Every structure is written in C-alpha cells, then in structure tokens.
Amino acid sequence: MDVERTALPGIGLRHEFQTVKGQHAAVVSHVSGRRDIVIYKPDDPDSAVVTLSLNTDEANGVAELLGTSRIVERLADLRRQVVGLLTVQVPVIAGSPFDGRTLGDTQARTRTGASIVAVIRGGEILASPRPDFVFHPGDLAVAVGTAEGTDAVTDIMRNG
C-alpha cells in the first residue's frame, strides 16, 4: 500500500492512502496526541464523508487491534520458515505459580532458550511484553522456541 506523508505545520502529520477497492482515507496525527481517521468522498478527494477522532489511548487500542492479526501471521510465517520452531499458548490459571507475578520472574528465556513473545488477554494480543508485565488468570502466554524449550516454558508456567 502506498502512503503519502504530508507535514501539517502547527497541526501534525497526515498519512494518506487508498485501499485496493479505491477508498480514499487518511490518518491525521495531531501534535496533541489526538488521531483523526478521515474517510473521503469517492468523487471528491478533498471532502470528508466522516472523521473519527481518537484520543491517545483509543488510538493505541485501535493500533493493537489492527496489529493483532499481523503478529499471528508473522509467527505462523516464521514457524513455516524455520524447521523445528514451535509456538505454544500456555494458560495462566488462578493460583498457578505465576498468577500475579511478572514475566521476568519466570526467567523463561534463560532457563529454557524459548521466549514468551506475547500474551493474549481478553482476546487482545499484547506483543513483546516487558519483564515487568504481570500475569493474570485467564492470560495465554505465547512462547516460541524448540519443542524442548516450549515444553519447558509450559512446565515453568504450570509448576514454577
């Protein structure tokens, strides 16, 4: 997809694009942190049909939603490209050793060679969680590594 980037002095930055179906849209990033998603009229590229204004938290939420499928696709592509690489989802159960504890506490990478690359919480993918990320019951820790490494991560998350 081609994206045209235009500086808007005193306002921010506009990223304008056209979809495969010919729909014309833009994202305007204001210096205040607000983001506007603008959909233009098909017959008049200077007139907006609708503008959706998002605050910083809302914009980050939409970005996560849009990026979720990309992360899953990339993991699947990586698994197909690298023989022996597996992806597993390990549930965090109430009362389990890491319920309420941080990713860093697991020492998963050091202990197993596998990495916890994302956490699925409430249907949302939290990519690249930091070591201070706190697990909650119902989370699914997504680990990537060899069969031996991912089995070890599963054991750590279940048994400590």
Side-chain angles (χ1 to χ4, degrees), residues 25-37:
V27 175
V28 179
S29 302
H30 294 261
V31 293
S32 66
R34 187 181 94 210
R35 302 285 190 274
D36 293 335
I37 300 172

Side-chain angles (χ1 to χ4, degrees), residues 48-138:
V49 173
V50 68
T51 300
L52 178 63
S53 294
L54 306 171
N55 66 29
T56 302
D57 289 337
E58 293 166 336
N60 288 336
V62 169
E64 282 186 33
L65 289 172
L66 293 173
T68 296
S69 63
R70 298 288 299 155
I71 293 166
V72 172
E73 288 170 15
R74 287 180 183 158
L75 286 173
D77 287 344
L78 185 59
R79 194 166 71 199
R80 283 190 293 273
Q81 292 171 11
V82 182
V83 176
L85 185 66
L86 299 175
T87 303
V88 297
Q89 296 179 8
V90 184
V92 177
I93 299 166
S96 67
F98 291 98
D99 171 6
R101 292 184 56 201
T102 67
L103 172 60
D105 289 342
T106 69
Q107 296 182 340
R109 174 86 178 126
T110 303
R111 294 169 65 187
T112 70
S115 297
I116 296 175
V117 298
V119 175
I120 302 171
R121 177 179 286 166
E124 198 176 314
I125 294 181
L126 308 167
S128 303
R130 295 169 31 112
D132 61 351
F133 178 87
V134 177
F135 291 107
H136 297 293

